[in-house]
Amino acid sequence: MRFTETLTAIVVGLAASAEAVKVNPLPAPQSVTWGESGPKNVGWLELRTDARGSKNQRLVRDAFDRAYSTARKLQWVPQAIEEPILKYPEIPTGTGNEKREASSWLSGVDLKIADWDAELKHGVDESYDIKIEASSNSIKINAETVWGALHAFTTLQQLIISDGKQGLIIEQPVEIKDEPNFPYRGLMLDSGRNFITVAKIKEQIDGLALSKLNILHWHITDSQSWPIHLDKYPQVTKDAYSPREVYSNRDVADIIAYAHARGVRVIPEIDMPGHSASGWQQIDESIVTCVDSWWSNDDWPKHTAVQPNPGQLDVINEKTYDVVTDVYRELSGRFTDDFFHVGGDELQPNCFNFSLPIRQWFAEDPSRTYHDLNQHWVDTAMPIFTDEKNTGGRKDRRIIMWEDVVLSHDSSAHNVPKDIIMQAWNNGSDHVNKLTGMGYDVIVSSADFLYLDCGHGGYVTNDARYNVQENPDWEHPNFNYGGTGGSWCAPYNTWQRIYMYDFTRGLTDEQKEKVLGVAVTLFGEQVDDTVVSSKVWPRAAAAGELAWSGNRDPETGKKRATYMTQRILNFREYLLAVGVEAAPLVPKYCLQHPHACDLYYDQDAVE
Ligand SMILES: *[C@@H]1O[C@H](CO)[C@@H](O)[C@H](O)[C@H]1NC(C)=O
Ligand SMILES: *[C@@H]1O[C@H](CO)[C@@H](O)[C@H](O)[C@H]1NC(C)=O
């Protein structure tokens, strides 16, 4: 077994009876260097900054207070640590009354930020360093921007642990230098299939901030429901599930402010022109097509949707574009991020056949194809999405679409502007390779690795395929596009599956530059408040580290999944302690007995 100090936490037996731990925060910082002189007590930490009247002074102070008061309240005892000597980690046993030298008390944090006013947007510098020296009673933090400083605080709060009684300690001296490998580190939540309350969304944001994920991609609407209020078209929420399952303007502002205070950007998605029925149909029935068709999964040549209920925008009807402009403009005023997601996935040609204008458009020129039809959408809609009149004045608005707009076999458009960001979801790193090769910036959400909803079986009802009592191998019936056990992207993506994903495999350096990062996605057919946190956490944190500092030991280049194990098991307990209802990953026995539950004795089995 090989234990890298910078990657593992080791219990250090001290002369004093309190024991300290070289805590291993999640995500693993790029570099941690420990010394040996032993822990310091954490006294009342005063935050001293060089803010000089920045508008972000309050935000930084609040973030520090949250981190520090959480550390005080939790009195955290690491729950799972890498430990090469003992059979399992000793919980610190000090009385808290040991005498320490005066210099062994930490009493302040000296924070220096180079650019206090940098906006939270794509590519903002998130680097920071933390230094605790034996000779000093203050913790020194340097960051380029406030957003890096916030990451420093979430690292610091994980370093502060209980001394076994009422006190807090930090193992030191320590120097941490840290920054993300990728600027885009996200979670997609879906409130179109099922509603998620504001409180539960905030709980997800707490988890995001703690694991240094910086994007909440909010798939707000879908064909099933329209839960967000619009001033211009208040009738849209007739298609919310109930008047209580609606996000008011105030709710949206509340979520965005909560996220912003924690360094998390909120990127809205209004899925167009596919996955569109609810809401739109309340504005004008003529702008949607096929909403009243049978979705025909049982008669595939006629299918109008890949899941119930069908509906797409009528992309030939000019009225459609007036409504799209109004909706986009209003939401751009509320979601002010530099990115906006406009969907673009899973267009079903058959659905378009239900529109008279589209049938006429095809009849006018028999050479026209569904590719041309999608091109018409892209050519007409993109100028709306980039016009400053509609972006709330933002000059740097960038549009995200799902990869289908360029990769769909039956309906991709021919010429899609290269400044549109593509979100890859099919065929793993092959599509990342393809899209970056075409010159697009890419967000990686490969379903076979990063979809959090996979593996829960099929949900469509009246499904006779489940009525099978035996088959030759006693296997579950395999249906729904090849996913084993009934869901298209089954099986379930475990944290190890997520963490070990080499999403830039086979890319040239130039292509790698075009990968903005990763987003785990949780589509909501079988998700609401009751299960959202347990489906997201702690698996999203595995993606957090994957995108922050990667899945490899920086020294050896080997995959560090085995070293990640204790880190993520501990982090799951930490999430629970701060109120994020993360699921257990293992029997608690495995948490208390490091490596006892490994499949392979050889700690280098994963490479
Ligand atoms: C939809 O229209 C196209 C083009 O006319 C045709 O090829 C296709 O069969 C139609 N689909 C259905 C389900 O009728
Ligand atoms: C994924 O790859 C397979 C095998 O090359 C191919 O048949 C399939 O069409 C691809 N899927 C998509 C959505 O492009």
Side-chain angles (χ1 to χ4, degrees):
M1 271 192 214
R2 187 183 149 278
F3 295 90
T4 309
E5 266 203 340
T6 55
L7 295 177
T8 59
I10 296 171
V11 173
V12 180
L14 297 162
S17 60
E19 288 179 297
V21 173
K22 292 177 177 175
V23 179
N24 197 7
L26 190 154
Q30 300 284 359
S31 142
V32 186
T33 312
W34 296 101
E36 293 298 338
S37 57
K40 289 197 188 224
N41 290 9
V42 178
W44 188 258
L45 290 182
E46 185 200 356
L47 179 68
R48 297 179 288 260
T49 76
D50 58 351
R52 286 187 279 276
S54 163
K55 66 174 171 16
N56 285 322
Q57 194 167 345
R58 175 71 188 274
L59 182 147
V60 167
R61 192 159 287 282
D62 286 350
F64 177 76
D65 288 347
R66 267 196 312 275
Y68 180 46
S69 65
T70 301
R72 293 191 71 81
K73 193 176 79 195
L74 288 187
Q75 296 281 315
W76 186 246
V77 175
Q79 297 294 297
I81 55 172
E82 198 64 73
E83 209 293 290
I85 303 158
L86 302 174
K87 281 281 185 293
Y88 70 94
E90 294 287 340
I91 288 170
T93 53
T95 61
N97 294 326
E98 296 80 16
K99 282 210 179 81
R100 295 243 163 83
E101 300 300 317
S103 67
S104 76
W105 282 87
L106 289 166
S107 59
V109 172
D110 287 311
L111 171 66
K112 286 201 169 66
I113 296 178
D115 177 0
W116 272 88
D117 296 325
E119 184 191 354
L120 180 63
K121 60 178 287 193
H122 181 70
V124 71
D125 192 312
E126 297 175 271
S127 67
Y128 69 90
D129 56 63
I130 300 176
K131 200 170 193 177
I132 306 173
E133 294 163 305
S135 58
S136 167
N137 62 2
S138 88
I139 298 167
K140 293 187 178 56
I141 297 178
N142 288 302
E144 268 309 299
T145 70
V146 300
W147 316 109
L150 263 48
H151 292 313
F153 297 158
T154 61
T155 300
L156 183 63
Q157 85 178 72
Q158 294 179 62
L159 297 181
I160 301 175
I161 61 171
S162 169
D163 72 352
K165 206 167 179 217
Q166 277 120 8
L168 293 172
I169 51 175
I170 292 189
E171 177 59 20
Q172 61 86 58
V174 62
E175 184 166 8
I176 295 177
K177 291 197 164 105
D178 208 7
E179 64 181 335
N181 288 342
F182 292 92
Y184 193 104
R185 306 177 307 278
L187 162 68
M188 193 215 77
L189 282 185
D190 172 7
S191 61
R193 272 52 175 248
N194 280 300
F195 188 76
I196 302 173
T197 62
V198 172
K200 268 292 164 185
I201 292 175
K202 288 183 175 174
E203 188 178 316
Q204 308 317 306
I205 294 168
D206 291 343
L208 292 176
L210 204 53
S211 43
K212 298 186 173 56
L213 289 154
N214 62 350
I215 308 283
L216 175 63
H217 164 182
W218 184 4
H219 183 95
I220 305 175
T221 60
D222 213 288
S223 65
Q224 293 87 354
S225 80
W226 185 289
I228 189 168
H229 169 81
L230 294 178
D231 292 337
K232 173 98 181 175
Y233 299 116
Q235 68 269 40
V236 284
T237 52
K238 284 186 193 163
D239 285 340
Y241 287 124
S242 74
R244 293 179 58 200
E245 289 164 291
V246 169
Y247 304 105
S248 66
N249 293 358
R250 188 194 285 199
D251 291 336
V252 170
D254 185 20
I255 288 166
I256 294 172
Y258 191 87
H260 185 260
R262 288 158 182 76
V264 174
R265 296 160 54 203
V266 180
I267 299 177
E269 178 186 354
I270 300 296
D271 203 348
M272 301 175 264
H275 291 274
S276 300
S278 292
W280 303 105
Q281 66 187 355
Q282 296 290 346
I283 300 172
D284 187 330
E285 279 180 12
S286 80
I287 67 169
V288 288
T289 179
C290 94
V291 288
D292 47 8
S293 66
W294 170 242
W295 69 300
S296 269
N297 189 79
D298 55 348
D299 186 359
W300 188 248
K302 293 203 181 114
H303 78 280
T304 55
V306 289
Q307 67 176 182
N309 50 319
Q312 293 176 179
L313 293 182
D314 187 327
V315 296
I316 292 299
N317 185 347
E318 283 174 22
K319 182 81 203 283
T320 300
Y321 296 96
D322 295 338
V323 174
V324 165
T325 304
D326 291 338
V327 169
Y328 177 77
R329 182 186 293 166
E330 179 170 340
L331 291 176
S332 280
R334 226 167 293 154
F335 292 91
T336 57
D337 193 78
D338 46 330
F339 287 9
F340 198 109
H341 202 312
V342 296
D345 57 321
E346 297 190 313
L347 291 183
Q348 304 305 312
N350 287 336
C351 178
F352 285 133
N353 287 17
F354 283 74
S355 150
L356 185 59
I358 290 174
R359 287 207 304 276
Q360 282 167 347
W361 186 81
F362 277 122
E364 277 164 28
D365 178 352
S367 75
R368 283 176 173 158
T369 65
Y370 292 104
H371 300 281
D372 301 323
L373 186 62
N374 200 4
Q375 187 68 46
H376 177 81
W377 161 259
V378 170
D379 290 344
T380 318
M382 274 310 291
I384 297 171
F385 299 143
T386 52
D387 187 339
E388 275 173 48
K389 285 205 293 291
N390 304 328
T391 62
R394 275 209 91 102
K395 294 192 201 331
D396 55 356
R397 171 55 57 74
R398 287 194 71 186
I399 294 300
I400 310 174
M401 292 185 186
W402 296 102
E403 64 175 24
D404 312 44
V405 67
V406 291
L407 294 185
S408 160
H409 297 304
D410 55 16
S411 61
S412 58
H414 310 285
N415 296 305
V416 179
K418 298 290 189 213
D419 57 359
I420 298 178
I421 298 163
M422 293 296 156
Q423 192 158 3
W425 62 282
N426 286 296
N427 284 15
S429 56
D430 283 0
H431 278 196
V432 180
N433 200 333
K434 220 176 218 178
L435 292 161
T436 52
M438 292 166 85
Y440 291 104
D441 284 347
V442 171
I443 297 160
V444 181
S445 291
S446 311
D448 288 328
F449 298 86
L450 299 175
Y451 272 34
L452 302 177
D453 48 301
C454 300
H456 287 272
Y459 74 88
V460 289
T461 43
N462 193 30
D463 189 343
R465 296 170 301 183
Y466 279 110
N467 188 20
V468 174
Q469 309 311 318
E470 57 181 292
N471 62 30
D473 300 317
W474 291 101
E475 283 176 351
H476 273 258
N478 282 353
F479 45 79
N480 276 343
Y481 323 112
T484 51
S487 81
W488 70 275
C489 59
Y492 184 87
N493 291 314
T494 66
W495 77 265
Q496 293 185 86
R497 176 77 175 163
I498 294 167
Y499 187 63
M500 293 191 217
Y501 182 25
D502 292 327
F503 54 95
T504 60
R505 193 171 61 119
L507 270 55
T508 64
D509 288 346
E510 198 186 341
Q511 283 176 294
K512 280 182 191 161
E513 289 289 306
K514 303 209 118 318
V515 176
L516 305 185
V518 305
V520 284
T521 44
L522 181 61
F523 284 100
E525 288 86 353
Q526 296 169 294
V527 179
D528 66 11
D529 275 20
T530 59
V531 296
V532 58
S533 296
S534 60
K535 288 195 181 191
V536 172
W537 305 105
R539 287 186 297 161
E545 177 161 315
L546 180 65
W548 181 273
S549 54
N551 59 13
R552 287 171 192 277
D553 180 325
E555 285 166 42
T556 65
K558 287 182 180 170
K559 281 221 175 126
R560 57 183 177 188
T562 186
Y563 304 113
M564 172 66 159
T565 304
Q566 306 310 318
R567 187 154 64 240
I568 197 168
L569 296 183
N570 176 61
F571 194 72
R572 183 265 170 170
E573 303 301 311
Y574 198 96
L575 284 167
L576 267 191
V578 299
V580 180
E581 299 209 305
L585 295 174
V586 290
K588 201 163 191 174
Y589 181 90
C590 308
L591 174 150
Q592 293 181 341
H593 298 77
H595 299 287
C597 299
D598 290 358
L599 178 61
Y600 295 106
Y601 182 74
D602 174 8
Q603 293 297 302
D604 286 329
V606 176
E607 291 213 354

